[in-house]
Amino acid sequence: MGKIFGTDGIRDIVNHGFLKPAFLDKLGRVIGSNIPAGRRASKVIIGRDTRPSGAKIEKILSDALASVGVNVDSAGVISTPGLAYLAKCGEYAVGIMISASHNPSSYNGLKLFSANGLKITNSTEEKMEQQIRSGLKKRIVKPGVFSAMVKPELTQRYINDIPRIILSSKVSILSPRTKIVLDCANGALAEIAPAIFSRTGATIIPINHRADGENINSRCGSLHPQTLRRKVLAAKAHIGFSFDGDGDRVIMVDEKGDIRDGDFVLYIAAGYLKKRGFLRNNTVVGTIMTNSALESTLGKQGVRLVRTRVGDKYVLDEMLKNGFSVGGEPSGHIIFRDYSKNGDGVITALMMLKIMADEGKTLWQLSKGFTQYPQIIVNVPVASKPTLEDIKSVKQEADRIHKLLRNQGRLVLRYSGTENLCRVMIEGRNFPYIKALADKLAVIIKKEIG
């Protein structure tokens, strides 16, 4: 058994590895055994996205939790940040989200949240891994302990609360003439996003919101922003938002059809918050994947960019440690700390609408002044994940690229934390040149460990 928890919880192919029923049963009992007796009524909340495997996984986990004396509530289909919000507000001991985020329907996964709505710590993950590998107590089903019961009012609470939290008393900030396209990725936000954004007063045009379980992220959502772009232009919409399967990230399209990723969100948010005195320490948190042009552009405005490892939990750690206001990733995983300590695509989109309304500008106008350097990411399927520096041919080519780029670009070489992929990211001023470099390195990696 390898490492169970990756950079964003547990993820695997359905009915394989960490998603086999026997493993899930053991995991559920381990989670339950870590809840002290009487702790918040020993209650757990579970949510899931629209994958067909979600309900089955939920049943196995909730039965396992009940078997060790833990009551379970189900929020049904809800976004990951929605589940985290309910875990905190509902005073549950643990929140469990069943989702594989942006992956296809053949995958699923688990994200665990503590009572404060934050993802569980690395130390807790390590403790659980040790317990899973060791023996477990026998099932001790107690009278009055119940498996999951779906409570629609839980999801409704998130739908009701979030617009009020972000938009304050001015919930309807837009006119019906404003058209917003929402690509719901046939995922967790398929019904939730249209319900929330209709409260802004704008005309809402939802697409990919008829989830059948199998079509989640299929040629839609944040990994396929061209789908949103085509609809925004065809509908002559003012803005479009494209979410991923579990709703924790968003990619935008402006009224001219330009795709705007998380770097643009950070650029716009930094200027807005600084202008109003809310950008703590005049600092924004990004990752090693954040485009260097953002660092340069913000620097000219007196704003510092701090980089972390890839993963929203590392971004949040940096924000909490130093009290920063906003941070995120180019993937659209953005954290506005004053509103939530989790990446939330809905909150990010509502913040963009709020900024547009307060500034009286369109997304295209707000994006002016920031141009990204060309960047390419090549994902190489791998059979294993040995240390890249230990592979001679890979290290030699990587060193050669670093020398060629010098101060004119960057190479970031890393494994995905959720998939069997090696990601080759190269940034530079000349796209054909960096593409050729990335493709050559990808071929070498594929030959060695593909």
Side-chain angles (χ1 to χ4, degrees):
M1 183 184 294
K3 184 171 173 56
I4 297 169
F5 291 92
T7 56
D8 200 13
I10 297 170
R11 201 165 300 183
D12 216 324
I13 297 173
V14 175
N15 291 323
H16 289 73
F18 302 131
L19 293 187
K20 287 182 178 178
F23 178 87
L24 292 169
D25 173 75
K26 183 180 286 189
L27 175 65
R29 285 186 283 149
V30 164
I31 294 171
S33 68
N34 279 278
I35 300 174
R39 171 72 174 174
R40 294 196 174 187
S42 295
K43 211 169 188 181
V44 167
I45 182 171
I46 297 182
R48 52 188 166 84
D49 64 24
T50 55
R51 296 165 205 272
S53 59
K56 180 181 177 181
I57 293 172
E58 179 179 343
K59 180 70 165 59
I60 294 171
L61 288 172
S62 60
D63 285 350
L65 286 160
S67 77
V68 292
V70 178
N71 285 304
V72 182
D73 283 347
S74 171
V77 175
I78 192 169
S79 66
T80 291
L83 187 281
Y85 176 75
L86 295 175
K88 176 182 65 176
C89 297
E91 296 191 340
Y92 292 93
V94 176
I96 304 175
M97 181 65 190
I98 303 168
S99 174
S101 187
H102 57 277
N103 292 140
S105 63
S106 57
Y107 283 80
N108 217 324
L110 302 169
K111 300 179 184 181
L112 305 183
F113 295 88
S114 57
N116 58 8
L118 298 178
K119 290 177 180 177
I120 62 171
T121 62
N122 290 340
S123 61
T124 300
E125 290 178 349
E126 291 169 3
K127 177 184 176 183
M128 286 188 177
E129 290 202 15
Q130 293 174 356
Q131 291 173 330
I132 288 170
R133 291 183 171 90
S134 62
L136 291 172
K137 295 178 181 178
K138 294 181 179 180
R139 294 170 176 271
I140 52 166
V141 181
K142 296 181 179 180
V145 175
F146 303 100
S147 185
M149 297 175 60
V150 177
K151 294 186 175 182
E153 65 270 23
L154 293 173
T155 298
Q156 192 59 47
R157 178 174 183 176
Y158 177 74
I159 293 172
N160 292 340
D161 287 358
I162 295 305
R164 288 199 295 262
I165 291 170
I166 307 303
L167 306 179
S168 187
S169 59
K170 301 184 297 180
V171 174
S172 294
I173 61 172
L174 303 171
S175 78
R177 294 190 299 274
T178 301
K179 292 191 286 186
I180 301 173
V181 179
L182 302 176
D183 184 342
C184 302
N186 293 313
L189 292 177
E191 295 184 9
I192 294 172
I196 288 177
F197 285 88
S198 65
R199 301 186 180 202
T200 65
T203 295
I204 304 303
I205 305 171
I207 61 174
N208 300 308
H209 62 299
R210 304 189 187 283
D212 63 13
E214 299 290 350
N215 60 2
I216 187 170
N217 298 314
S218 179
R219 296 186 297 279
C220 61
S222 61
L223 289 184
H224 304 276
Q226 290 294 341
T227 300
L228 176 66
R229 179 180 185 274
R230 288 191 291 270
K231 186 63 178 181
V232 167
L233 292 175
K236 296 182 179 179
H238 297 81
I239 192 171
F241 299 110
S242 188
F243 304 101
D244 67 334
D246 72 331
D248 59 3
R249 65 176 75 176
V250 65
I251 298 295
M252 308 178 295
V253 171
D254 66 27
E255 71 275 18
K256 296 192 177 185
D258 293 326
I259 296 169
R260 308 297 189 181
D261 65 10
D263 285 348
F264 280 92
V265 175
L266 294 181
Y267 168 72
I268 293 168
Y272 176 82
L273 294 173
K274 185 174 187 291
K275 181 179 178 180
R276 286 160 174 74
F278 296 139
L279 187 66
R280 295 188 185 90
N281 301 315
N282 286 331
T283 300
V284 168
V285 181
T287 73
I288 56 174
M289 302 300 283
T290 300
N291 198 283
S292 296
L294 179 62
E295 185 172 14
S296 174
T297 302
L298 290 179
K300 294 173 183 177
Q301 300 174 0
V303 176
R304 183 170 64 114
L305 176 75
V306 174
R307 294 180 186 268
T308 71
R309 295 166 57 186
V310 172
D312 66 302
K313 67 180 180 181
Y314 301 113
V315 172
L316 179 62
D317 286 347
E318 183 68 27
M319 293 173 68
L320 293 177
K321 184 170 66 176
N322 294 294
F324 300 139
S325 309
V326 63
E329 305 180 89
S331 64
H333 217 143
I334 308 297
I335 300 172
F336 287 94
R337 205 196 72 169
D338 289 342
Y339 299 109
S340 175
K341 293 181 177 63
N342 291 285
D344 189 328
V346 168
I347 288 178
T348 300
L350 288 174
M351 278 297 296
M352 288 299 101
L353 295 178
K354 175 180 171 62
I355 293 172
M356 287 168 60
D358 288 350
E359 295 292 301
K361 295 181 179 179
T362 66
L363 178 59
W364 184 85
Q365 291 170 330
L366 290 169
S367 299
K368 288 178 67 176
F370 172 47
T371 302
Q372 293 172 308
Y373 298 147
Q375 189 181 89
I376 184 170
I377 299 176
V378 179
N379 293 314
V380 186
V382 294
S384 61
K385 295 181 179 180
T387 302
L388 291 166
E389 287 195 352
D390 292 343
I391 305 173
K392 185 177 180 180
S393 60
V394 174
K395 185 178 186 306
Q396 286 179 340
E397 182 61 17
D399 289 344
R400 187 181 77 88
I401 291 172
H402 281 303
K403 290 179 181 178
L404 289 172
L405 292 175
R406 291 193 181 90
N407 297 322
Q408 300 300 312
R410 296 188 303 137
L411 163 65
V412 176
L413 189 60
R414 68 180 187 89
Y415 290 117
S416 165
T418 57
E419 300 174 85
N420 289 328
L421 296 172
C422 180
R423 304 197 195 280
V424 180
M425 188 284 282
I426 300 184
E427 187 178 276
R429 304 298 177 93
N430 185 308
F431 184 80
Y433 180 63
I434 64 172
K435 183 179 186 304
L437 293 176
D439 287 343
K440 183 176 180 180
L441 181 53
V443 168
I444 294 172
I445 293 170
K446 183 174 179 60
K447 179 181 178 181
E448 294 287 352
I449 54 176

